[in-house]
């Protein structure tokens, strides 16, 4: 099943892998490595080819790669899994683009990006380059964020999204309400807190809702109450342009 090259790199043409402790014992056992703590039945991966490097502590999967665990599902061109002593296992994922899905009973999240880093033990995802992320909570109001980078973390027990931080020049935000009303905004920084139901936008904010347009340095929008506020920022003013006829 496996062949060794220079006693450092292990290459497999196996098309599909079931990630489990047994798989990594087979993969690294002859090199003196222990299993990489993948739980049988919870994680699976398929790819066209793979290679392993003992010294660097990595396994690389290439070509039509799919990965899933109890939290997320990924499709990508390449996935590099790294595990070293005292360092949480992480996955570096690249694609043109890659796709991410994370669904629970309370919401559905999907995203496309050029690269992603996933640390399973910390329930943390970092996406980079040409990101488009869509989140649909149980109220069916669709949130879409486009950005250069997005850091995203979800709760350990309920897999609920805790915090999402987006950066761009600018990053953009859209909220499609159930009645078809579209709320749009852009700013350099966007923070979404699902627990509080708040979107906080900072730096060069432009916010449009039902025809009204607000420009400010900082704006906080309450998704549940459909209410906004503009906190005072020293030496910064805000402007509201009302829709004609209102």
């Amino acid at each position: 099943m496996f062949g060794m090259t220079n006693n450092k790199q292990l290459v497999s043409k196996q098309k599909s892998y079931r990630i489990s402790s047994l798989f990594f014992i087979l993969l690294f056992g002859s090199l003196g490595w222990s299993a990489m703590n993948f739980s049988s039945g919870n994680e699976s991966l398929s790819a066209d080819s793979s290679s392993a490097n003992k010294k660097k502590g990595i396994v690389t999967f290439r070509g039509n790669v799919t990965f899933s665990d109890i939290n997320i599902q990924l499709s990508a061109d390449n996935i590099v899994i790294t595990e070293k002593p005292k360092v949480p296992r992480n996955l570096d994922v690249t694609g043109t683009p890659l796709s991410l899905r994370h669904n629970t009973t309370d919401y559905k999240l999907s995203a496309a990006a050029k690269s992603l880093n996933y640390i399973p033990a910390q329930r943390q995802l970092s996406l980079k380059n040409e990101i488009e992320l869509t989140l649909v909570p149980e109220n069916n109001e669709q949130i879409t964020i486009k950005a250069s980078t997005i850091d995203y973390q979800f709760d350990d027990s309920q897999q609920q999204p805790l915090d999402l931080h987006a950066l761009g020049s600018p990053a953009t935000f859209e909220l499609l309400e159930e009645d078809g009303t579209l709320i749009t905004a852009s700013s350099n920084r966007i923070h979404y807190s699902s627990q509080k139901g708040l979107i906080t936008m900072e730096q060069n904010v432009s916010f449009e809702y039902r025809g009204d347009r607000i420009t400010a340095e900082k704006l906080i929008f309450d998704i549940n109450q459909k209410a906004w506020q503009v906190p005072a920022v020293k030496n910064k003013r805000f402007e509201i342009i009302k829709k004609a006829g209102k």
Side-chain angles (χ1 to χ4, degrees):
M1 181 177 178
F2 300 107
M4 192 177 307
T5 303
N6 297 329
N7 199 35
K8 290 184 178 180
Q9 194 171 54
L10 201 60
V11 180
S12 170
K13 295 298 183 181
Q14 181 74 13
K15 184 88 172 182
S16 180
Y17 308 92
R18 190 68 179 176
I19 297 186
S20 64
S21 295
L22 177 59
F23 168 70
F24 281 99
I25 287 172
L26 290 172
L27 185 60
F28 292 112
S30 63
L31 300 176
W33 281 43
S34 62
M36 296 180 80
N37 299 319
F38 284 82
S39 300
S40 178
N42 289 334
E43 297 182 341
S44 63
L45 188 149
S46 64
D48 291 339
S49 64
S50 70
S51 63
N53 188 300
K54 175 184 177 181
K55 186 174 181 180
K56 293 182 178 180
I58 64 173
V59 185
T60 301
F61 298 92
R62 301 180 183 88
N64 302 306
V65 187
T66 62
F67 169 87
S68 64
D69 63 10
I70 60 174
N71 299 310
I72 68 170
Q73 298 84 46
L74 293 167
S75 297
D77 296 334
N78 301 287
I79 293 181
V80 179
I81 302 176
T82 304
E83 181 165 322
K84 297 180 180 180
K86 300 181 181 180
V87 178
R89 174 167 54 92
N90 73 85
L91 284 70
D92 286 306
V93 186
T94 56
T96 53
L98 62 86
S99 66
L100 161 71
R101 287 185 297 136
H102 176 205
N103 298 337
T104 74
T105 57
D106 296 322
Y107 74 95
K108 297 179 180 180
L109 182 147
S110 61
K114 291 293 184 68
S115 62
L116 175 153
N117 179 263
Y118 175 41
I119 304 177
Q122 298 176 1
R123 309 295 194 270
Q124 182 176 317
L125 291 154
S126 296
L127 299 95
K128 294 183 179 180
N129 300 324
E130 301 180 21
I131 307 162
E132 181 170 345
L133 182 146
T134 301
L135 178 66
V136 182
E138 57 184 345
N139 63 7
N140 290 321
E141 293 189 337
Q142 179 174 299
I143 297 169
T144 302
I145 296 175
K146 297 180 181 180
S148 300
T149 66
I150 292 179
D151 293 323
Y152 164 58
Q153 190 165 18
F154 48 93
D155 179 78
D156 186 18
S157 58
Q158 300 298 322
Q159 282 83 53
Q160 296 292 350
L162 290 178
D163 285 293
L164 187 152
H165 296 270
L167 300 176
S169 54
T172 63
F173 162 82
E174 292 183 352
L175 173 63
L176 182 62
E177 298 182 284
E178 282 193 286
D179 64 2
T181 299
L182 183 65
I183 302 169
T184 63
S186 64
S187 63
N188 293 357
R189 298 174 179 271
I190 297 175
H191 173 231
Y192 169 57
S193 171
S194 68
Q195 290 185 327
K196 298 178 180 179
L198 298 178
I199 294 281
T200 301
M201 291 160 278
E202 296 182 271
Q203 299 180 5
N204 302 313
V205 179
S206 176
F207 177 82
E208 294 189 30
Y209 183 33
R210 297 187 182 276
D212 295 339
R213 182 171 180 267
I214 300 171
T215 58
E217 188 65 13
K218 183 176 182 178
L219 185 143
I220 302 172
F221 180 65
D222 188 319
I223 293 176
N224 299 321
Q225 300 299 321
K226 301 299 184 291
W228 56 265
Q229 60 174 301
V230 178
V233 177
K234 187 177 181 180
N235 298 324
K236 298 290 183 179
R237 297 179 64 82
F238 75 95
E239 180 182 46
I240 302 177
I241 301 174
K242 302 289 288 183
K243 183 179 180 180
K246 292 185 66 176

